């Protein structure tokens, strides 16, 4: 009985999906985010709520494997918009870094950068440096994430590779769970801070957030232009994190499928930047939103609708 009911429900939901995506007017926009314990997801939900309230635009927010997976989803036409790291967006567009093998992806363009994403290396107490991770069991993020790119580049700065660790490719929720159980010595999280999975962890476990050394910081800045130095303030995760951590950050960026209409993207872009206060009231990361920041850190073409809005308000020429 239960099975029949849930199958029926699935059919009804599928039908609803088909109907909404074929309906005229303000079509629902499908937005790819990340893990439910990351920041993209909760920010996406907040954004969707505000857009619905303020401009009557419905969003379907999906949990995914994050940046790389999201770009593949947009490029394949499976979703309309996504939140991705600006570094990964550039590599995908230009077919560089780990996209060198599969080649450049197309069919997506930039809407705006949203907030800083902090590379947070969470480790067992007693581990004091990335160099100490040699031979340890470390999760470097989901296979489709941007986190994995950052982890690889940070190890490179230390003259190490994934071969030096017992590498695990786990999403944020699994990483935090396995760390709680003592099955991981460390895990990487690139996300807006505070990040839910680390905030949760702080309620049960002790941990440290590793700082990146001066030489390694310089290496990262010299070789990978997207990194900016970022101080994760003491107390971001309460008493469990009594010291500042010096690390790097990239930017969370909203992208859209090229074939999403200029009108739809214009309305959403305008909707976001004219409703910053409402977004701020719904999600802490709204604090970092501004039209001035939104056009920074974008190395690929803007979507025509976003460009129209930013030109109109004098933020792009
Ligand atoms: N920046 C992360 C990634 O692409 C995801 C962050 C999040 O889910 O908030 O790996």
């Amino acid at each position: 009985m239960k099975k029949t009911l849930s199958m029926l429900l699935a059919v009804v939901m599928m039908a609803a999906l088909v109907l909404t995506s074929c309906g005229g007017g303000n079509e629902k926009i499908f937005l790819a985010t990340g893990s439910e314990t990351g920041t993209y997801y909760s920010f996406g939900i907040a954004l969707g709520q505000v857009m619905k309230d303020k401009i009557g635009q419905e969003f379907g927010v999906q949990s995914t494997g994050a940046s790389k997976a999201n770009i593949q989803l947009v490029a394949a036409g499976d979703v309309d918009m996504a939140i991705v790291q600006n570094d990964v967006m550039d590599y995908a567009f230009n077919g560089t870094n780990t996209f060198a093998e599969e080649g450049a992806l197309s069919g997506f363009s930039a809407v705006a950068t949203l907030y800083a994403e902090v590379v947070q290396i969470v480790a067992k107490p007693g581990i004091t440096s990335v160099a100490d991770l040699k031979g340890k069991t470390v999760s470097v993020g989901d296979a489709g994430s941007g986190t994995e790119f950052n982890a690889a580049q940070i190890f490179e700065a230390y003259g190490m590779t994934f071969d030096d660790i017992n590498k695990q490719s786990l999403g944020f929720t699994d990483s935090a769970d396995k760390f709680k159980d003592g099955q991981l010595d460390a895990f990487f999280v690139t996300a807006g801070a505070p990040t839910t999975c680390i905030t949760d962890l702080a309620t049960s476990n002790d941990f440290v957030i590793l700082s990146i050394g001066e030489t390694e910081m310089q290496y990262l800045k010299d070789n990978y232009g997207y990194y900016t130095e970022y101080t994760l303030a003491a107390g971001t995760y309460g008493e469990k994190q009594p010291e500042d951590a010096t690390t790097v950050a990239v930017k969370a960026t909203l992208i859209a499928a090229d074939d999403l209409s200029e009108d739809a993207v214009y309305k959403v872009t305008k909707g976001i930047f004219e409703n910053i206060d409402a977004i701020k009231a719904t999600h802490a990361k709204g604090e970092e939103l501004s039209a001035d920041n939104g056009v920074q850190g974008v190395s690929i073409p803007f979507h025509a609708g976003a460009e129209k809005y930013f030109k109109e308000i004098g933020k792009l020429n």
Side-chain angles (χ1 to χ4, degrees):
M1 180 65 183
K2 243 188 178 164
K3 214 170 166 193
T4 330
L5 259 180
S6 59
M7 269 180 65
L8 198 72
L9 198 70
V11 171
V12 171
M13 278 167 68
M14 285 278 287
L17 208 74
V18 171
L19 276 177
T20 44
S21 53
C22 298
N26 253 0
E27 282 181 20
K28 189 171 192 169
I29 291 177
F30 288 93
L31 173 74
T33 61
S35 156
E36 284 173 13
T37 58
T39 309
Y40 288 173
Y41 182 75
S42 58
F43 190 84
I45 297 278
L47 200 68
Q49 257 171 35
V50 174
M51 290 301 100
K52 190 176 173 209
D53 292 351
K54 301 288 183 185
I55 63 165
Q57 175 63 57
E58 288 238 34
F59 272 82
V61 178
Q62 300 180 355
S63 173
T64 67
S67 292
K68 187 176 181 181
N70 288 354
I71 296 171
Q72 288 167 334
L73 286 169
V74 176
D78 291 338
V79 295
D80 309 300
M81 289 185 129
I83 310 179
V84 304
Q85 292 179 203
N86 64 337
D87 51 344
V88 180
M89 172 176 86
D90 183 271
Y91 303 146
F93 189 83
N94 292 303
T96 55
N97 212 285
T98 60
F99 286 89
E101 259 177 45
E102 60 187 282
L105 291 173
S106 59
F108 63 94
S109 42
V111 177
T113 56
L114 305 168
Y115 60 80
E117 295 197 77
V118 188
V119 183
Q120 302 163 91
I121 313 165
V122 182
K124 276 187 181 163
I127 294 176
T128 59
S129 151
V130 172
D132 292 346
L133 297 179
K134 211 175 183 117
K136 297 276 196 301
T137 304
V138 182
S139 169
V140 298
D142 221 322
S145 68
T147 303
E148 189 182 19
F149 288 72
N150 305 129
Q153 290 164 354
I154 288 169
F155 280 122
E156 184 186 304
Y158 278 84
M160 295 163 71
T161 68
F162 285 160
D163 291 342
D164 291 308
I165 57 165
N166 173 21
K167 179 188 135 192
Q168 306 288 313
S169 298
L170 305 170
F172 296 162
T173 310
D174 288 345
S175 291
D177 284 349
K178 290 233 155 72
F179 186 90
K180 274 181 204 162
D181 296 348
Q183 294 178 58
L184 282 183
D185 297 299
F187 65 99
F188 282 75
V189 169
T190 302
T195 313
T196 308
C197 64
I198 310 177
T199 307
D200 286 351
L201 185 67
T203 63
S204 59
N205 287 60
D206 288 330
F207 59 84
V208 290
I209 297 198
L210 301 179
S211 282
I212 294 171
E214 252 172 65
T215 324
E216 292 81 10
M217 179 67 78
Q218 198 52 51
Y219 177 92
L220 288 171
K221 286 184 193 161
D222 290 348
N223 290 278
Y224 300 106
Y226 289 97
Y227 289 122
T228 53
E229 194 167 323
Y230 189 99
T231 304
L232 188 77
T236 301
Y237 296 106
E239 294 165 0
K240 292 272 165 75
Q241 185 233 341
E243 280 169 32
D244 285 357
T246 307
T247 182
V248 285
V250 291
K251 280 186 164 189
T253 310
L254 187 64
I255 61 167
D258 288 344
D259 60 13
L260 186 60
S261 78
E262 176 175 335
D263 189 45
V265 176
Y266 172 81
K267 279 186 189 147
V268 168
T269 314
K270 188 175 158 92
I272 293 173
F273 292 98
E274 286 188 349
N275 291 292
I276 292 176
D277 283 343
I279 298 173
K280 242 190 247 181
T282 320
H283 196 286
K285 289 288 113 182
E287 206 65 56
E288 294 176 37
L289 269 179
S290 79
D292 282 314
N293 290 341
V295 294
Q296 303 298 321
V298 176
S299 62
I300 72 164
F302 279 92
H303 190 285
E307 190 175 72
K308 182 177 166 199
Y309 174 70
F310 285 126
K311 278 188 173 165
E312 208 171 83
I313 61 164
K315 301 298 175 193
L316 281 180
N317 295 316

